Amino acid sequence: MSSAEPSIEQPEPWPAEWLRATLNLSVLKIISTGPTYGYAIAGALAEAGFGDIKGGTLYPLLGRLTTAELISENWQPGAGGPGRKYYEITTAGRQQLRTQVGQWLTFSSAVGKHLSSSIDPTE
Amino acid sequence: MANDTKKHRMERELAPNLEPEWTSKFLLELRLQGVSGQDIGVTLAEANSHCAESGESGAEAFGDPEEYARSLQLTPSPAQSSEAVRTAVLPTVVQLAGMLAVQATAAPLAKGEPLFEVTWGLIGSLIAIIIAVLLLARVAPALLRGIVKAKAWKSIAVFTGCFLVAAVAGALPVILLKDVAAQVPVWLVLVGGVVVLGGGAVWDYRSAYLKDMDLISQPDSGEFYGSATAKKVRWASTMLIPAFTLVMWIVFFVIVRAS
């Protein structure tokens, strides 16, 4: 994947609700770099520091993105092995990604500022 | 376990990288949801492909097969809706009516009687049987889920119960109401019955429900699992009631002649 950053150290799995809030957008981001398939998306997520995202979480999410027409799917038979379902971002998906990435950056910087300012240095 | 291999042949062929037990539960849940064979095939192939690459088992990657099947929220196929199932049994209802008419001519023809007596009981039984079949088609999806998930003895008890109720409802009027409503030439009943029976069989053969049978797709080969068998099943299913009628008619005729 395009991320040049080294894997982020992760002492324990991220809280499930954090993942729920961010996975949609992050998966959309991965697919926006070109057609790709489930196992490769899981690999890219792990590399980006999300930890081990199981198929049981990933595929229902890909299904919801497909139903919402943010991505499209297409089966490619494999040469000598099992084939793969490739996902590709749609115009609507690209649009959503652009808007929500901007929103997310504003939101996360607000959260970051809030959380770090509330640490009492005297404690 | 040779028996186990045979039992899960389809699961092994469709998804060689998943545990057959896991696949079996996954397929059953999707079928019960009414997902099309096409969608089931692609979804299963994707899960298999994932495990082939990750080296995980189905349970490790996706957890419980039934919960996973539900979490995918696949759209039920219109061909599997209760409306479609109801439409699919209509040809069978027509065939059953034809069968009863043909069957009823065996005794008078064997005895050489030219007229057939239509009793009120016969009319009542006909109506009762049609209502029973339509009712069964209406509750079929819910009943199927209950039967599949229940213990074997419970399903057998439910089936036997339903069959007995239907049999009694169908037989009682014929036995109790002997008053003659009309007299019809036997040959007319026979010809009419054969036409209705044949028409029902042709309708059944041409119905969409039997035509594609909603088999599970195999996206890698572009084929459907068991399509060769399905063709035979389609024929066998169409011929079932006409063949049964013919055999029963001959048996009846011979018995009445002999006595």
Side-chain angles (χ1 to χ4, degrees):
Chain A
M1 287 295 120
S2 59
S3 103
E5 305 264 313
S7 285
I8 292 162
E9 206 170 303
Q10 187 194 8
E12 51 188 312
W14 305 119
E17 61 267 33
W18 295 3
L19 288 176
R20 252 202 303 281
T22 52
L23 264 182
N24 264 357
L25 199 55
S26 307
V27 167
L28 210 53
K29 169 84 183 176
I30 291 166
I31 299 174
S32 76
T33 60
T36 183
Y37 56 97
Y39 184 63
I41 296 171
L45 285 170
E47 205 180 311
F50 281 84
D52 182 18
I53 303 298
K54 289 290 178 192
T57 305
L58 183 59
Y59 290 100
L61 185 154
L62 288 167
R64 288 194 294 275
L65 291 178
T66 307
T67 310
E69 294 181 352
L70 299 175
I71 57 176
S72 62
E73 53 180 43
N74 165 33
W75 185 267
Q76 305 263 327
R84 291 162 177 165
K85 196 198 264 177
Y86 277 81
Y87 297 92
E88 195 168 353
I89 196 159
T90 62
T91 317
R94 231 172 252 292
Q95 190 125 33
Q96 170 126 331
L97 182 66
R98 212 173 301 128
T99 344
Q100 292 206 338
V101 164
Q103 275 184 301
W104 176 263
L105 292 178
T106 316
F107 176 69
S108 66
S109 91
V111 172
K113 206 182 277 175
H114 168 71
L115 289 179
S116 49
S117 71
S118 59
I119 296 170
D120 188 346
T122 58
E123 254 180 283
Chain B
M1 281 204 283
N3 190 28
D4 190 54
T5 320
K6 211 175 199 177
K7 187 174 148 200
H8 290 300
R9 215 181 88 194
M10 178 179 81
E11 284 84 348
R12 278 176 214 281
E13 274 183 44
L14 288 174
N17 298 101
L18 295 169
E19 316 88 282
E21 285 288 340
W22 192 93
T23 307
S24 177
K25 286 184 184 160
F26 183 62
L27 288 180
L28 181 59
E29 179 58 33
L30 289 176
R31 275 294 191 204
L32 286 173
Q33 284 178 25
V35 175
S36 74
Q38 174 86 42
D39 287 352
I40 292 178
V42 175
T43 306
L44 183 63
E46 186 175 44
N48 179 68
S49 176
H50 182 94
C51 286
E53 285 193 86
S54 71
E56 294 167 295
S57 69
E60 279 167 349
F62 305 105
D64 179 70
E66 290 171 13
E67 263 172 50
Y68 179 57
R70 281 191 288 269
S71 74
L72 287 168
Q73 298 178 317
L74 297 174
T75 326
S77 148
Q80 294 285 336
S81 67
S82 28
E83 181 68 40
V85 173
R86 240 169 284 157
T87 314
V89 299
L90 285 180
T92 307
V93 176
V94 170
Q95 285 187 82
L96 284 178
M99 180 181 95
L100 285 178
V102 171
Q103 214 49 254
T105 62
L109 279 176
K111 284 188 253 176
E113 291 166 2
L115 284 179
F116 179 77
E117 294 184 338
V118 182
T119 62
W120 287 109
L122 189 67
I123 297 171
S125 288
L126 207 63
I127 294 172
I129 289 170
I130 291 173
I131 290 176
V133 174
L134 290 179
L135 217 57
L136 189 67
R138 177 168 275 270
V139 298
L143 197 66
L144 194 62
R145 180 175 275 270
I147 287 171
V148 166
K149 301 268 163 165
K151 295 253 179 282
W153 69 267
K154 272 191 190 164
S155 339
I156 293 170
V158 169
F159 251 130
T160 316
C162 287
F163 184 77
L164 282 180
V165 169
V168 169
L172 266 188
V174 176
I175 297 166
L176 294 180
L177 304 168
K178 298 260 185 200
D179 288 341
V180 176
Q183 285 192 322
V184 189
V186 176
W187 65 265
L188 196 65
V189 178
L190 182 62
V191 170
V194 168
V195 167
V196 171
L197 178 60
V202 171
W203 186 13
D204 199 24
Y205 187 76
R206 296 178 61 162
S207 74
Y209 195 74
L210 267 186
K211 207 178 262 175
D212 66 23
M213 298 199 78
D214 205 11
L215 300 169
I216 295 178
S217 67
Q218 294 174 283
D220 274 332
S221 61
E223 284 170 13
F224 287 85
Y225 187 84
S227 43
T229 320
K231 229 171 250 170
K232 288 182 213 151
V233 170
R234 188 179 166 198
W235 264 108
S237 157
T238 304
M239 295 314 294
L240 188 69
I241 297 178
F244 180 75
T245 308
L246 182 67
V247 171
M248 287 308 288
W249 192 91
I250 294 171
V251 168
F252 246 67
F253 188 87
V254 170
I255 289 176
V256 175
R257 243 306 144 76
S259 61

